[in-house]
Amino acid sequence: PHQFFYTPDIGAVITGLIDRPELFGVSYNVASDETISVHEFAQKVYAEFGMDKPKYMAVGKTMLTLLGLFSPLLRELKEMAYLQEQPVILDASRLRNALPALRFTSYHDGIKATVEKLRADIR
């Protein structure tokens, strides 16, 4: 399981914290209300594009090492690979207590809005 967030939602977090000076100097985890596997996330993205079955291939550390010889970005991905191999669940309770009215976009709605934006940009 992982947590992702819809990037536009971060604006509400930032403005909510900026509007409350008493919250300055405190660290917060920003985490979605939902958890999802990377595979399930990919399935939802493909479904939104109208495709039945995701067609992708996982690249292991050995392949990332080889590809990293030619690409600094892929070299960095190898260093961060553990984030895809282990659950990443953040405790956002401090943020929730500070901003109780805060709501995050669901994966369904965020994926739908992203795909719509991509389609509009292509046209």
Side-chain angles (χ1 to χ4, degrees):
H2 282 65
Q3 292 168 305
F4 302 98
F5 59 87
Y6 184 53
T7 304
D9 289 344
I10 296 303
V13 172
I14 292 169
T15 57
L17 293 173
I18 286 175
D19 287 343
R20 305 232 346 247
E22 71 273 15
L23 302 177
F24 288 14
V26 178
S27 60
Y28 299 93
N29 287 325
V30 179
S32 169
D33 295 327
E34 304 172 70
T35 60
I36 191 170
S37 73
V38 175
H39 180 73
E40 289 171 312
F41 190 85
Q43 286 177 317
K44 288 180 181 292
V45 170
Y46 273 78
E48 191 59 40
F49 276 107
M51 302 169 80
D52 292 332
K53 187 175 178 184
K55 295 176 183 158
Y56 58 86
M57 176 178 56
V59 175
K61 287 183 185 176
T62 303
M63 183 59 81
L64 283 176
T65 300
L66 292 171
L67 294 171
L69 295 172
F70 307 100
S71 169
L73 174 65
L74 294 175
R75 191 170 27 247
E76 291 299 317
L77 283 177
K78 180 185 171 215
E79 297 298 321
M80 305 302 289
Y82 73 94
L83 292 171
Q84 299 303 317
E85 297 167 351
Q86 299 172 10
V88 179
I89 308 299
L90 300 176
D91 179 4
S93 58
R94 183 182 292 167
L95 181 63
R96 295 277 179 217
N97 289 334
L99 303 173
L102 185 66
R103 298 290 175 261
F104 287 114
T105 303
S106 70
Y107 293 133
H108 172 78
D109 292 343
I111 290 168
K112 181 178 174 121
T114 301
V115 169
E116 287 173 0
K117 175 74 169 113
L118 288 170
R119 284 186 171 139
D121 287 350
I122 291 171
R123 292 183 191 134

